[in-house]
Amino acid sequence: NAGVTQTPKFQVLKTGQSMTLQCAQDMNHEYMSWYRQDPGMGLRLIHYSVGAGITDQGEVPNGYNVSRSTTEDFPLRLLSAAPSQTSVYFCAVVGFNYGYTFGSGTRLTVV
Amino acid sequence: GDSVTQMEGPVTLSEEAFLTINCTYTATGYPSLFWYVQYPGEGLQLLLKATKADDKGSNKGFEATYRKETTSFHLEKGSVQVSDSAVYFCASHLGSGNTGKLIFGQGTTLQVKP
């Protein structure tokens, strides 16, 4: 089925560890975004990309890196995890008429 | 800056009750407006949208009308079901040049009891 695939679904990290959250799409859309969801705060934009080789910062980019080498993949990297990065992370693909398709999320806990 | 504000939850209703979840927005232009729904353990799904003033979005018995004069996009449903229990997010999106920047409200949890 066409859609957005996020891996892993769950992850526990120790403070200071690094990891990459994967996001892959088979919808052939140019625009992709990463959001984090925290209780009472809705979803906040971390980084977004308007196409391969082009990325930009969102509302809360500190502590996260992204790259976009292909249309299909948009990984999110945590360089040195902190407890404040405990959250649920969603990748989204933006289609026609600004229709967003979200992945099922990655629940990250930093201890 | 641009923002979206929703009524605080949780909202608890009995089955077949009328639902309203308030949403207001601030924007420098004329955004498109959306309602997303998140069922437990899942990602967000688009529920409905409206792209210009006075448009009405509707889906699965839910409705919302884009009111420019009150900068609002309230979600309504005439008769809720237990299966409607979820978190509802209002969101706004400006046009080209801002693609990828969907601004969310904080979410409203709806619990429907039998």
Side-chain angles (χ1 to χ4, degrees):
Chain A
N1 290 336
V4 182
T5 302
Q6 286 186 241
T7 55
K9 292 189 181 300
F10 302 94
Q11 183 71 49
V12 179
L13 289 178
K14 294 182 178 180
T15 298
Q17 286 185 317
S18 63
M19 80 160 293
T20 299
L21 280 63
Q22 301 291 345
C23 177
Q25 57 128 338
D26 59 4
M27 305 170 72
N28 200 31
H29 288 317
E30 295 292 332
Y31 308 114
M32 300 182 73
S33 308
W34 274 103
Y35 290 85
R36 59 177 289 173
Q37 181 180 21
D38 301 294
M41 302 186 74
L43 278 76
R44 293 179 291 169
L45 181 65
I46 304 171
H47 286 285
Y48 66 99
S49 169
V50 299
I54 306 170
T55 63
D56 205 348
Q57 296 181 350
E59 181 185 357
V60 288
N62 293 340
Y64 306 95
N65 276 356
V66 292
S67 60
R68 184 91 180 274
S69 57
T70 67
T71 299
E72 292 78 20
D73 299 300
F74 189 40
L76 178 71
R77 281 182 288 276
L78 283 70
L79 302 178
S80 178
S84 61
Q85 294 179 303
T86 294
S87 186
V88 182
Y89 292 85
F90 288 100
C91 178
V93 171
V94 187
F96 302 113
N97 291 323
Y98 311 117
Y100 282 65
T101 300
F102 286 83
S104 57
T106 295
R107 186 174 296 274
L108 175 68
T109 303
V110 182
V111 298
Chain B
D2 298 347
S3 65
V4 174
T5 303
Q6 295 178 230
M7 62 184 290
E8 288 193 20
V11 174
T12 302
L13 296 173
S14 297
E15 205 165 24
E16 298 184 2
F18 185 86
L19 168 70
T20 299
I21 300 178
N22 290 338
C23 171
T24 57
Y25 67 91
T26 61
T28 53
Y30 298 100
S32 295
L33 300 173
F34 304 81
W35 277 100
Y36 282 84
V37 59
Q38 183 180 33
Y39 298 103
E42 298 183 10
L44 278 72
Q45 303 173 24
L46 178 63
L47 181 60
L48 54 84
K49 70 177 183 181
T51 58
K52 62 182 186 296
D54 299 325
D55 270 1
K56 177 185 285 188
S58 61
N59 186 24
K60 299 181 181 179
F62 291 90
E63 293 183 341
T65 301
Y66 191 141
R67 303 287 189 197
K68 188 175 69 173
E69 63 275 13
T70 55
T71 63
S72 64
F73 193 55
H74 304 323
L75 182 68
E76 297 181 336
K77 186 175 185 182
S79 177
V80 293
Q81 305 300 311
V82 172
S83 57
D84 293 327
S85 298
V87 182
Y88 293 82
F89 291 93
C90 186
S92 72
H93 187 288
L94 289 172
S96 60
N98 286 280
T99 303
K101 293 184 181 180
L102 195 62
I103 299 171
F104 286 89
Q106 70 270 39
T108 302
T109 300
L110 170 65
Q111 184 178 17
V112 181
K113 296 185 175 180

